[in-house]
Structures are given as C-alpha cells and as structure tokens.
Amino acid sequence: MASLSQIVSYVDEHLRIREIDDWPNALNGLQVENSGAVTKMGAAVDASTRTIESAIALGVNLLIVHHGLFWPGLQPISGGRRRMFEQIFRNDLAIYSAHLPLDVHSVLGNNAQLAASLGFENTEPFFEAKGQPIGLRTETKISRDELTSKLEQSLGGPVKMFASGPVETKSIGLVTGGAGSEIYAVAGEGIDTFITGEAPHWAAVAAEELGLNLLLGGHYATETLGVKALAAHLSDRFNLPWEFIDSPTGL
C-alpha cells in the first residue's frame, strides 16, 4: 500500500506538471482524490464511463489517464455524468490526468515511447505548441512501406498511409494524438514523412499538395503508450500492481 499524496507529489515533479502549459480543460494533476491509500493502479487513455467502470471492477483505486474528466469543458453534472461521478465517489477512486506533460516526457512520453518502439535512435524535439516542442523528429532513411509495417506492429493495429512523399524517407516527424491539422506547419520544418494519430479530411489533400507522406495510426492507439509507461514506472517505484484498461474509441 502507498499513499496517494506520495504518488501525486512524485508524478507532479517527475512530469513537471506545474511547469508545462496546456489547454485549460486538460487540468493536469490530481482531478479526484480518494481517502488516501492506493493498493492498485489502472492506466487508461480516457477518463470515461467505460474505463471508470472497468477500473472499479478490477479493484483499482488510482486511475491514471491522458484525457481527464474535464476534457469536454464545462458540462452539467446530470444524467450519465452524474452517475459516473457517483461511482467514482462511492468506490473511493482517485483519478490523475497528464496530457502534454506526458506527451513531452523524454522517456515515459507518448512520443518517446513510440519513437523507441520504431527503433528511432537519434531524435530531437520539434513542432512547438504551448511554448515548447511537443513532438520528435529523426533523420532516418527507411522505405515508407517498411515504416508503415513497423508502425502497425508497434501500435497493434492498422495504419492509414497517404503515400504522397518520397518512397524512402529522409526526415520523419512524430506527434502522437490528433496533430494532422498541423500538416502545413510540419512540412514547413522540412519533414517529408509525418506520423500522427488522426487528421481532418483536408489533410489528405494537403499531403498530396505538399509531397509529404502522412501516416495515421489512430488518436487512441498512439496515446496508449505513455500511460502504460507511467503506470509501469510507478509500479516499480511504489511496489504496486497495475493494469491497462483498454477502451478504444475507434478514432
């Protein structure tokens, strides 16, 4: 058993929660406290009815998520949302959320974990948002078909490739999640192959215009890696069991 306050204090510092700017609805850090003890952790991409119900069924009393309870903005606590909060409080479930602080972490982050899984050995930060680089780039020569295959293996699912760039890559940019709408800015940084989670329809047209390979691995799939890495790290440090709660959105 570990105390919630110990874990929260450690993660706040390790991920630089208070230093990294983010979108207001992210509300990084502890979003719901429990009575103070942690016996089992869960990791999920989203704080949703499904993940919360699964966490409770698994005996989890600290749920670590990437997208927290308040991501949709201010909403009335009524209907299904009221019932969700009732379950949280009734079952003494703490919820901790880390969005950009987890994306950008040099070891545990979504981008770092995916880059390592793809075998990218030399990466550097790129693509600025909220005053800091939130992605990674690498100068790597690999066929786009082989890269797509490796990405599918890393994510455990299909990848949509818009093959509008060179057959062999030279400069690959990686931003997990939903960064496809930034395709013009990414191309402006000299990237010929862009890996992200999802993109709007027009980004496929833009990829052809820009002569850039666009690989979409899924918003959800590309953001499973960070919460898993963080939970595993905390499990080792605090000697706590943990489970990943898989609840894909299809996006």
Side-chain angles (χ1 to χ4, degrees):
M1 182 182 298
S3 76
L4 178 66
S5 61
Q6 285 178 314
I7 296 172
V8 168
S9 178
Y10 175 79
V11 180
D12 282 354
E13 182 176 354
H14 196 67
L15 297 186
R16 300 185 297 130
I17 289 290
R18 306 302 167 212
E19 300 173 33
I20 296 175
D21 194 19
D22 207 331
W23 284 268
N25 294 345
L27 193 63
N28 292 311
L30 185 65
Q31 294 193 338
V32 178
E33 67 177 0
N34 67 1
S35 58
V38 177
T39 55
K40 185 176 182 179
M41 298 180 298
V45 175
D46 304 292
S48 67
T49 299
R50 280 189 293 165
T51 57
I52 287 165
E53 288 177 347
S54 295
I56 292 167
L58 291 167
V60 166
N61 55 1
L62 171 58
L63 179 62
I64 298 167
V65 299
H66 188 51
H67 303 128
L69 290 163
F70 310 105
W71 197 254
L74 291 175
Q75 301 290 329
I77 307 300
S78 60
R81 195 161 180 80
R82 177 184 65 80
R83 290 189 292 273
M84 180 178 69
F85 274 95
E86 282 181 340
Q87 288 195 59
I88 292 169
F89 296 135
R90 186 183 304 121
N91 291 278
D92 200 31
L93 178 65
I95 298 178
Y96 188 100
S97 180
H99 185 240
L100 280 187
L102 186 55
D103 282 324
V104 305
H105 193 273
S106 61
V107 177
L108 303 177
N110 286 311
N111 292 294
Q113 288 286 311
L114 184 52
S117 179
L118 291 170
F120 297 163
E121 295 181 354
N122 299 307
T123 61
E124 60 184 36
F126 107 111
F127 191 72
E128 186 170 306
K130 293 294 180 179
Q132 65 186 325
I134 63 169
L136 295 173
R137 68 181 296 163
T138 180
E139 309 306 309
T140 299
K141 291 184 178 181
I142 182 174
S143 78
R144 65 190 179 197
D145 289 337
E146 182 183 352
L147 177 61
T148 300
S149 178
K150 292 179 72 171
L151 185 58
E152 288 179 336
Q153 291 175 8
S154 294
L155 299 177
V159 168
K160 179 66 176 178
M161 176 174 65
F162 297 91
S164 301
V167 172
E168 183 178 73
T169 72
K170 292 182 180 178
S171 186
I172 302 170
L174 169 61
V175 183
T176 57
S181 60
E182 303 295 344
I183 190 168
Y184 284 105
V186 166
E189 297 197 33
I191 297 297
D192 62 51
T193 301
F194 181 32
I195 300 171
T196 188
E198 65 174 326
H201 174 83
W202 58 260
V205 178
E208 186 174 358
E209 170 194 328
L210 294 164
L212 181 147
N213 296 314
L214 175 62
L215 278 64
L216 304 179
H219 194 138
Y220 176 87
T222 61
E223 295 193 325
T224 59
L225 304 169
V227 288
K228 289 178 180 178
L230 176 57
H233 176 77
L234 294 175
S235 175
D236 289 341
R237 184 172 183 86
F238 292 98
N239 193 28
L240 287 168
W242 74 279
E243 288 194 47
F244 176 63
I245 299 170
D246 193 16
S247 187
T249 61
L251 297 176

